[in-house]
Structures are given as C-alpha cells and as structure tokens.
Amino acid sequence: MADPKDHPELHSDSAWQVQTQVLRAEPGLGQHTGGSDCLVVIYTREGRGPLGKRIQLDGPVQELSIGRDVQNSLVLEFEGVSRKHARLVKREGAWWVHDNNSTNGTYVNDVLTRETPLRNGDRVKVGDVILKYLSAGDLESEFIETISQMMVTDGLTQAANKRHLTEKITDELNRSLRHGRPLSLVMFDVDHFKKVNDTHGHVAGDVVLKEIASLVRSRVRRNEVFGRYGGEEFALLLPETTLQGAVTLAQELCVLVASQPFLFDRTRIPVTISLGVAQWNPAVRTTDDFIRAADAKLFQAKRSGRNRVCA
C-alpha cells in the first residue's frame, strides 16, 4: 500500500514564496502584471516538481509548446509526457490547446482532446501533470484561491489530500474523546493497481483513480471526509457512525466499484477494491493509532483474497 509524502513544501512561509513564484515559459516575455493569463501547476505525481508555480501567458507570446524536449517553451520532465506533447495557441484573444499526436493524449477537464479553446478554470492534463488555466481579470485572487485549494485537495482525484485528511481525523478523534460519540474509519485501496498501470499505462491508472473517487464522493454525506491517503489508497472518515454502519457502507462501495465499467481507450479494465474498517474506542489515542487499526483490517482483506471488507 503506497504512502507517499504529502506536500509540506507548500506550508511554510518561506517555501510559499518559492513555490508560488512565477515560472516563465520563456525568458524575456515581459514583466508580470495582474491582468495576464496564466497556467498554474496544480498536480504532479507524488508531488514532485513545481507544484503551485505559474506560467504566465503575457507579452508578445502567441504560442507555447509543451513537452519533455528542452526546446519546448514549457519543459515538463515527467512520465507520460511526449517530447513534443502539446501547444497553446492564441487566436482572436483566446487560448486554444492543441495535442501534437502525443502518446498519452492531452485532456481538458478529463476529456481527451485534439483542439479545444480554454475557459477560466479549465484543467489541462499532460502526462503526469495537471495545469489550471486562469484568464485575465481578478487573477491574483483566483491564483490565491487555487493555491488555497491545493492545500486541502488532491489535484488528481479532488478528494481531500493526506494532510487535510489527517487533520480532520485528529479533530474528530478529539471530539470522540471528549463526548464519547461513535466514529469510524474506512481505509481502502485498489486491488492489483500496479498491474493496471503496467498493462494499460499510468494515464489509464489515473482514470481509474478519478472514477473511483467520483463513485465514493457520490455516497459521502456532508459531515463525512473522503481523502486520498497516498497512491492508490483512500480513506473515508465517518463521524457519528458505528462499526456496523461503516461496514455496511464499505460493502456497498465494494460492490459498486466491482460492478462499474471502467473504460480506457475502448478497453474495459476490471477493478476491485479491498477495504478495512475500524471504530474508535478509548484505547485509540492518536491519529496514527486509528489509521493503523483500519490499515491492519485492510491488510487482512487483501491477504484473505481481496475484493472484500474486513472489520
């Protein structure tokens, strides 16, 4: 079960200055102004690289090439990015994304595209990188809002990120310690996820993670917290829920995922999940204790055959 580090580099004042500095597509494109369009890096696999940086689309630039090749305007040395992956072209005052017949394709708002005009807030996925397009206007407030969202949200799945998830677990544990209220935690991950990546590629793996996250979010109530703990592992924090209630929900999710037709490039990918469930009790004093208890049950579910719930 994967457990990559969260992104602590986004949380100190000095690091904030580094991570949010302007990353120019090319030298000498003019000085930054609040009215310039830009791209913001909101996701890279395992948090590597320039998270939170922005690429300004200002001055005389009318075309921006994207790819691994060092001759591109924007060089992205990440897995899944082709040498000359895509380009942005400005036409009649609007920026258009063009895919250059890349190996893994270019996506706008999770839709594979060959040519698409960009609107404010659109998300452009190039290999293992997701960029958010912000149009001119009240750019600084939009940029700050985007960075603030990155502090609590996983850019790929839109679930809570690990840092925010663990903070919420700590808050609810303290509440349960004070008031003796029921609290349950479900940990789950995707069975044989490495095989999905090895057989169909990382882009297909990303599609699977996003669809699973979408399915789970559709079942989450307002006071519950759904988060990506790391890699293919997720967690669902359930305040005011007993062990039996959590097991019932976990079983529903298990069946829901197994029956979902996950499709990538017209190929169906069989997907199942294994889930472990734990309920808070007075012996559970820390967030780590609670996570370990649910994780132990997840390990038991995987060891006993996968595609099941253990509690």
Side-chain angles (χ1 to χ4, degrees):
M1 289 168 283
D3 184 11
K5 301 296 184 186
D6 199 9
H7 313 312
E9 69 274 13
L10 289 177
H11 303 295
S12 71
D13 291 341
S14 60
W16 177 277
Q17 298 297 327
V18 174
Q19 289 298 324
T20 59
Q21 67 183 335
V22 173
L23 176 65
R24 291 202 176 278
E26 293 178 342
L29 288 182
Q31 298 301 311
H32 168 61
T33 63
S36 302
D37 298 348
C38 73
L39 296 172
V40 182
V41 181
I42 63 170
Y43 176 82
T44 64
R45 189 175 300 281
E46 297 183 359
R48 297 186 298 115
L51 278 173
K53 288 188 177 179
R54 59 182 168 190
I55 299 91
Q56 286 180 214
L57 306 172
D58 61 357
V61 64
Q62 297 293 308
E63 183 167 330
L64 178 80
S65 57
I66 303 172
R68 283 190 296 109
D69 195 300
V70 294
Q71 295 182 349
N72 287 289
S73 307
L74 175 58
V75 180
L76 298 176
E77 296 179 346
F78 292 90
E79 189 172 356
V81 179
S82 297
R83 291 179 63 251
K84 298 181 178 179
H85 196 109
R87 67 189 190 279
L88 267 65
V89 179
K90 194 169 187 179
R91 297 204 310 253
E92 299 177 354
W95 286 98
W96 289 66
V97 174
H98 296 261
D99 181 72
N100 293 334
N101 296 315
S102 63
T103 301
N104 292 312
T106 301
Y107 293 77
V108 176
N109 300 329
D110 297 330
V111 177
L112 185 65
T113 185
R114 295 299 300 273
E115 182 181 71
T116 301
L118 291 180
R119 297 171 298 178
N120 187 46
D122 280 352
R123 295 153 55 91
V124 180
K125 187 173 187 296
V126 177
D128 288 348
V129 181
I130 299 177
L131 306 114
K132 184 174 182 179
Y133 171 72
L134 299 179
S135 63
D138 193 6
L139 186 62
E140 290 306 311
S141 62
E142 291 182 2
F143 177 67
I144 291 170
E145 181 181 351
T146 297
I147 296 297
S148 299
Q149 192 66 20
M150 285 175 57
M151 300 281 280
V152 298
T153 305
D154 174 64
L156 179 68
T157 63
Q158 300 303 292
N161 62 21
K162 182 179 178 181
R163 182 177 187 270
H164 186 58
L165 171 68
T166 54
E167 286 177 351
K168 287 295 186 180
I169 293 174
T170 300
D171 290 344
E172 290 298 334
L173 272 177
N174 289 335
R175 181 171 173 270
S176 292
L177 282 167
R178 286 195 305 270
H179 305 295
R181 304 299 299 170
L183 176 67
S184 295
L185 179 66
V186 179
M187 300 289 291
F188 70 90
D189 72 7
V190 185
D191 297 327
H192 302 296
F193 187 67
K194 184 178 184 299
K195 184 178 179 181
V196 173
N197 283 331
D198 291 346
T199 303
H200 304 281
H202 285 285
V203 175
D206 287 348
V207 169
V208 168
L209 294 179
K210 286 187 288 188
E211 289 197 21
I212 288 175
S214 179
L215 287 173
V216 176
R217 281 200 307 272
S218 70
R219 297 297 194 275
V220 173
R221 295 181 298 187
R222 190 170 185 177
N223 67 326
E224 298 168 345
V225 181
F226 169 54
R228 186 181 182 188
Y229 189 67
E232 70 274 20
E233 188 171 7
F234 296 86
L236 188 55
L237 180 65
L238 305 172
E240 304 293 337
T241 303
T242 63
L243 182 66
Q244 186 53 55
V247 167
T248 298
L249 176 59
Q251 289 171 337
E252 291 175 359
L253 294 176
C254 190
V255 172
L256 183 65
V257 171
S259 61
Q260 177 74 8
F262 292 88
L263 296 175
F264 178 76
D265 198 20
R266 301 181 183 178
T267 300
R268 179 164 182 166
I269 303 174
V271 177
T272 60
I273 58 176
S274 298
L275 306 95
V277 185
Q279 182 178 8
W280 171 82
N281 63 74
V284 175
R285 307 295 297 185
T286 70
T287 297
D288 287 344
D289 289 343
F290 203 17
I291 292 173
R292 276 195 293 267
D295 228 13
K297 294 300 181 180
L298 168 57
F299 181 74
Q300 180 182 338
K302 299 184 79 68
R303 187 176 53 189
S304 59
R306 296 183 171 85
N307 190 26
R308 63 193 63 203
V309 176
C310 285

